[in-house]
């Protein structure tokens, strides 16, 4: 706190990201990074950008990347927005599309950045409770709102809302923007991008941080009606015209084009997830059904914070949230088979 802070800064409640420890040899299963590296072709494309051309500004519109995304999803480039991580894309969405006086709606257990953006942009919100199985109750969202946002699969539960239910939710709020945050969709869900041509109020966000293994590059995107995309472009061009650097544009574009590598690494993560789920179940854990690259699990008689502390002593870090409703759960990222085995060994060592 300082006398130089504005009242606005004093009131902010910032997001707390998962720890990025500076310790070597940790089994890091706390921030849902991909255990496999990025596409080797994407790395080569980034290396090719590292040179004299860096003296020049990048393409402010990231056309090369928009083209790759549009081709991948069968949409037009006018339906694609790209930004410096999907967190930045989400920030522009909150700023530009949710400020309509009424409350924004999202689940009570969800990505903890949403209430932070509400604080930053002064947006009232209502957190609607998930049901006892930690599923979204679509009927609850059919009420006046300034917008709706939820991750699908949800975070940190990993639970997937079927595309048919996403569509019912859209039909219940035709006059506000519905954002489906698909950070984890490639690990087992069907993307709502299939619906953007029929619902002008639908915006789907994705990130290259999870399924494309480029968390360090900071690239995210949104797909929706050109009018919604134009709103985001107006905000972006009033804030930072060059959110993506030359390496990010080249690497992200090639990551979309290298489908075989993408499909192979997603498949490996999904197979490992199914194995981890069954191994945790054998050890008495209750694991929510996950369509993501992490699982959300609790043990009927062991305290979650205690398990997390015990794992940490053995060099394995997982994520524990203090929020009352989920305080007995651990969110565990799926790692390589060796990392997953290390997790189970650490649990068995008690
Ligand atoms: C990881 C994550 C993001 C942020 O992704 P970045 O592109 O790395 O900023 C957004 N939403 C959810 C639900 C996430 O889990």
């Amino acid at each position: 706190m300082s006398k130089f802070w504005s009242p606005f800064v004093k009131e902010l409640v910032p997001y707390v990201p998962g720890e990025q420890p500076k310790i070597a040899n940790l089994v890091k299963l706390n921030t849902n990074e991909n255990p496999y590296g990025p596409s080797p072709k994407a790395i080569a494309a980034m290396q090719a950008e590292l040179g004299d051309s860096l003296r020049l500004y990048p393409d402010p519109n990231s056309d090369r990347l928009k083209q790759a995304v549009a081709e991948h999803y069968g949409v037009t480039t006018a339906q694609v927005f790209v930004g410096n991580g999907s967190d930045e894309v989400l920030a522009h969405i909150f700023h530009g599309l949710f400020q309509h006086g009424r409350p924004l709606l999202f689940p009570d257990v969800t990505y903890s950045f949403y209430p932070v953006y509400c604080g930053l942009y002064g947006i009232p919100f209502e957190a609607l409770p998930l049901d006892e199985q930690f599923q979204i109750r679509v009927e609850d969202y059919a009420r006046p709102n300034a917008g709706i946002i939820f991750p699908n699969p949800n975070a940190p539960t990993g639970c997937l809302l079927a595309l048919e239910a996403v569509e019912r939710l859209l039909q219940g709020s035709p006059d506000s923007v519905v954002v489906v945050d698909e950070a984890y969709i490639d690990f087992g869900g069907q993307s709502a991008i299939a619906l953007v041509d029929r619902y002008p109020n639908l915006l789907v966000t994705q990130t290259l941080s999870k399924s494309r293994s480029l968390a360090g590059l900071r690239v995210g995107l949104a797909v929706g009606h050109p009018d919604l995309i134009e709103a985001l472009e107006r905000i972006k061009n009033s804030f930072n015209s060059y959110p993506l650097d030359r390496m990010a544009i080249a690497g992200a574009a090639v990551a979309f084009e290298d489908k075989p590598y993408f499909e192979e690494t997603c498949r490996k993560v999904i197979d490992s997830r199914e194995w981890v789920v069954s191994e945790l179940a054998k050890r008495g854990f209750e694991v929510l059904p996950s369509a993501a690259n992490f699982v959300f699990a609790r043990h009927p008689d062991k305290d979650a914070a205690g398990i997390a502390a015990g794992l940490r002593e053995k060099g394995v870090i997982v994520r524990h949230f203090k929020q009352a409703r989920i305080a007995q759960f651990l969110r565990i990222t799926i790692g390589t088979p060796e990392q997953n085995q290390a997790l189970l060994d650490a649990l068995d060592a008690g």
Side-chain angles (χ1 to χ4, degrees), residues 15 31-32 83-90 110-114 117 149-156 181-184 205-210 214-216 218-221 293-294 331:
Y15 176 74
T31 53
N32 297 344
N84 189 236
S86 66
D87 286 339
E88 184 188 77
V89 175
L90 291 170
T110 197
Y111 187 36
S112 50
F113 225 133
Y114 301 157
Y117 287 134
I149 186 167
F150 61 97
N152 200 31
N154 197 6
D181 178 352
E182 294 188 336
Y184 303 103
T205 62
Q206 294 198 355
T207 174
L208 280 80
S209 300
K210 286 32 185 273
L214 286 166
R218 311 305 304 128
V219 184
L221 59 101
N293 68 338
F294 59 86
R331 193 194 67 189

Side-chain angles (χ1 to χ4, degrees), residues 294-343:
F294 59 86
V295 294
F296 205 47
R298 69 178 155 197
H299 198 281
D301 10 85
K302 291 183 194 154
D303 176 60
I307 300 175
L311 287 174
R312 202 192 160 83
E313 277 169 24
K314 297 175 191 74
V316 178
I317 48 175
V318 300
R319 188 103 194 248
H320 175 245
F321 298 89
K322 295 202 173 71
Q323 192 189 336
R325 199 171 171 197
I326 54 171
Q328 285 311 322
F329 279 90
L330 294 173
R331 193 194 67 189
I332 306 170
T333 305
I334 301 304
T336 60
E338 296 72 30
Q339 290 175 315
N340 300 330
Q341 188 63 56
L343 163 79

